[in-house]
Amino acid sequence: MTTQTAAGSSSAPDGSRFGRFLLVFFAGVAPWSIQTYASGSITFLFAWGLFTPSPVSIITITDFFFRFTRGLPEYILVWPLGVACYLVALAGVTSGLLFDREDVRLTVAGLVCAGLTQLEVARGFSVQPGRTAWPLGTVLLWAVAGFLYWSRDR
C-alpha cells in the first residue's frame, strides 16, 4: 500500500518506485523531437544530442552549444533548459528509488517544463520553410507526468 505525505513524497513498494524510475528514465532516452526536411532527410533530437541517420551524424548537446553556438536561433536555446528540467525530474524519481524520498510534484513539474521547452523547439523549427518538427518528447514527457501525478495515491 502507498502512503502519501503532505510534501507529496510517496512510500510506494519497491516495484512501483522502480517502475516510476524506468518511465522517467526512458522518457529521457526517447527522441524528444523528430525534424523532417523537404529533401527527405530526418534528424532526431534527444536530451543528449542530435542524430541524423543518413549520412550518419551524431552531435552531442555539449558540442552543439560549445562548438556551434554562433548564430543559433533563439528557439533552440530552450533545449538545454528542457534537459535541466528533465534532470530535476530524474533526480527526484531517483531519490524516491534510492532513499524513499520523492516529492512527486517536483518530478512532475520537471517533466511538464521539459515537455514545454520541446514544444517551443518544435514550433521554432517548423516555422522555417521546408522543415517540420514533431514534438514527440512533449507528448511522452507529459504522458509520463500525468501518469505519475494521477497514480501517486495508488
Side-chain angles (χ1 to χ4, degrees), residues 73-79 117 120-125 128 131:
E74 289 186 20
Y75 69 85
I76 196 73
L77 299 177
V78 298
W79 176 24
T117 64
E120 174 60 17
V121 169
R123 184 211 57 83
F125 190 84
Q128 300 175 40
R131 299 177 179 190

Side-chain angles (χ1 to χ4, degrees), residues 17 21 89-103:
R17 285 192 302 259
F21 170 81
L90 186 62
V93 76
T94 301
S95 173
L97 178 64
L98 298 177
F99 309 113
D100 194 24
R101 301 289 297 165
E102 175 190 9
D103 188 337

Side-chain angles (χ1 to χ4, degrees), residues 2-56:
T2 302
T3 58
Q4 188 76 19
T5 65
S9 67
S10 170
S11 60
D14 287 342
S16 177
R17 285 192 302 259
F18 185 68
R20 287 195 321 265
F21 170 81
L22 286 177
L23 279 174
V24 173
F25 176 79
F26 284 118
V29 174
W32 282 4
S33 184
I34 300 172
Q35 285 100 23
T36 58
Y37 301 85
S39 65
S41 63
I42 188 168
T43 298
F44 298 93
L45 182 139
F46 293 89
W48 54 264
L50 298 167
F51 171 71
T52 304
S54 179
V56 174

Side-chain angles (χ1 to χ4, degrees), residues 130-152:
R131 299 177 179 190
T132 305
W134 306 95
L136 178 64
T138 299
V139 174
L140 181 60
L141 292 162
W142 287 357
V144 171
F147 176 79
L148 293 178
Y149 184 77
W150 280 287
S151 69
R152 73 189 188 286

